[in-house]
Amino acid sequence: MNFIQQAYKGKNEWYHYFATILIVFIGWQIIGVLPLFTTAVMYSSDMGEFMTAANTGFTSLGIDKNLFLFLMIITFVFGLVGLLLSVKFVHKRPVKTLITSRDKIDWKRFWFGFLLWGFIAGIVTLSDVFISPEDFISNFKPIPFFTLLLVAILFLPFQTSFEELLFRGYLMQGFGTWFKNRWLPLIITSVIFGLLHGANPEVEKLGYISMVFYIGTGLLFGITTLMDEGTELALGLHAANNIIAAILVTTDWTAFQTDALYIDTSEPSVGFEMFFPVLILYPVLLLIFSKKYGWTNWKDKLIGTIKKPNTGSEETFS
């Protein structure tokens, strides 16, 4: 069975999806934020300061940047736990089916995507520093930086895995079984993925044209998942992207405000660099993956139909 058909190994009534989304929301946005709220209260002098800081994401309270990043990641950890438990106990199917259609999770694919995009993103990011050094300030402080490096490497993959398994896994499969095709789940999950990033401060600074980048990135992850019949490559790409973003360059107007190596002091603007990944780098990545993994039949895998396997009752799946 292909990746979307993995959903048929479990229960797929509307109330199973409703229950899962509710559980994920409670874990992610209620239980998961308690450590952050508790810390924010400790840093606030009174409730007025707390409420004011809440409107800016608590960044004005002076919470250590690495601690703040860790607390933000914790929210996604609880969301991920809620998602995995729901797939197993609400939908009653193996967690592996959320990740891949292969017999086993292919970690070599994850590491290939991670290392390839980590190298490319790192080169592109640092090239900006060398091309326009006047726009960057060196920010290397050994203890904060290496703490950041540890937090980013050990914990950021939980955040990216939650997003990938929710959008390219759970929702892609769910929409696929509902609409009986591949292209609509690809479009819907990419747009939702982009819209959820609409609350990021960089969108406020740059305008909604920046959604081209987020929706385009969602399309990259979605196309990769559909063509490769699993999320391993997308998991690696997303993890590398966020780790590089966290440790190399930071600004005072993006979602990631960290103790990175450099601070970008340039005035935010919309230029070709925003569209460069979507128009140039992402197609190159897809070409590399297609050559390495022998992707064929693009039309059917991206816009083909989805049928329920004729294998008897749901309980016969393993």
Side-chain angles (χ1 to χ4, degrees):
M1 289 190 294
N2 63 47
F3 180 67
I4 289 181
Q5 287 177 320
Q6 298 299 305
Y8 288 117
K9 291 183 176 181
K11 308 295 184 179
N12 284 295
E13 297 297 333
W14 68 267
Y15 48 84
H16 296 117
Y17 288 92
F18 177 82
T20 295
I21 295 300
L22 181 61
I23 291 170
V24 169
F25 179 83
I26 292 173
W28 176 24
Q29 293 293 319
I30 298 179
I31 299 175
V33 302
L34 291 178
L36 176 59
F37 273 25
T38 302
T39 303
V41 169
M42 293 172 60
Y43 274 78
S44 303
S45 58
D46 54 47
M47 186 54 65
E49 184 182 18
F50 174 86
M51 295 304 296
T52 300
N55 294 326
T56 60
F58 302 114
T59 55
S60 62
L61 291 177
I63 301 175
D64 177 80
K65 290 181 179 179
N66 288 322
L67 174 60
F68 185 77
L69 177 62
F70 175 74
L71 292 172
M72 287 296 296
I73 294 172
I74 288 296
T75 66
F76 295 98
V77 171
F78 279 95
L80 178 61
V81 170
L83 177 61
L84 298 182
L85 290 177
S86 296
V87 167
K88 183 172 180 62
F89 295 108
V90 176
H91 288 274
K92 299 187 183 301
R93 61 181 170 108
V95 169
K96 180 185 71 70
T97 62
L98 188 67
I99 303 170
T100 188
S101 61
R102 285 171 271 275
D103 292 335
K104 295 181 179 179
I105 298 172
D106 189 344
W107 290 107
K108 290 182 179 180
R109 275 175 154 83
F110 169 87
W111 286 112
F112 181 73
F114 180 89
L115 294 174
L116 177 62
W117 185 242
F119 175 76
I120 295 174
I123 292 295
V124 171
T125 302
L126 291 176
S127 67
D128 288 339
V129 178
F130 291 114
I131 292 173
S132 304
E134 68 278 4
D135 291 334
F136 297 88
I137 298 175
S138 178
N139 188 49
F140 177 66
K141 301 173 220 175
I143 293 179
F145 175 74
F146 287 113
T147 302
L148 167 64
L149 192 62
L150 191 65
V151 171
I153 292 175
L154 293 181
F155 298 106
L156 266 179
F158 286 103
Q159 178 245 327
T160 56
S161 295
F162 168 67
E163 292 185 0
E164 284 310 300
L165 295 184
L166 177 63
F167 290 100
R168 262 60 66 176
Y170 185 72
L171 293 178
M172 182 87 79
Q173 291 175 336
F175 287 134
T177 62
W178 296 349
F179 297 116
K180 307 300 182 185
N181 63 50
R182 292 168 172 261
W183 66 270
L184 200 50
L186 172 62
I187 298 299
I188 293 175
T189 55
S190 299
V191 171
I192 296 175
F193 177 77
L195 292 177
L196 284 182
H197 287 80
N200 287 5
E202 50 263 42
V203 176
E204 180 181 350
K205 282 285 185 180
L206 299 174
Y208 283 99
I209 187 66
S210 59
M211 297 301 291
V212 171
F213 171 77
Y214 291 112
I215 295 176
T217 300
L219 284 171
L220 167 71
F221 296 155
I223 291 171
T224 300
T225 297
L226 289 177
M227 291 302 303
D228 203 50
E229 299 292 1
T231 64
E232 293 99 330
L233 284 172
L235 285 167
L237 292 172
H238 202 160
N241 184 79
N242 285 27
I243 290 173
I244 292 297
I247 67 175
L248 291 187
V249 176
T250 187
T251 75
D252 62 359
W253 51 270
T254 57
F256 276 163
Q257 296 182 30
T258 65
D259 289 305
L261 286 176
Y262 295 96
I263 299 176
D264 183 355
T265 62
S266 63
E267 187 66 24
S269 61
V270 176
F272 180 70
E273 65 275 4
M274 176 178 294
F275 306 101
F276 177 66
V278 177
L279 298 178
I280 305 298
L281 295 182
Y282 292 174
V284 169
L285 274 178
L286 292 174
L287 179 62
I288 293 173
F289 291 152
S290 69
K291 296 297 184 182
K292 180 173 177 61
Y293 296 110
W295 292 353
T296 58
N297 198 13
W298 287 67
K299 180 179 179 181
D300 183 62
K301 287 195 171 185
L302 295 182
I303 64 173
T305 58
I306 296 295
K307 297 180 180 179
K308 183 175 182 178
N310 186 21
T311 55
S313 66
E314 292 173 339
E315 287 74 16
T316 63
F317 290 118
S318 62

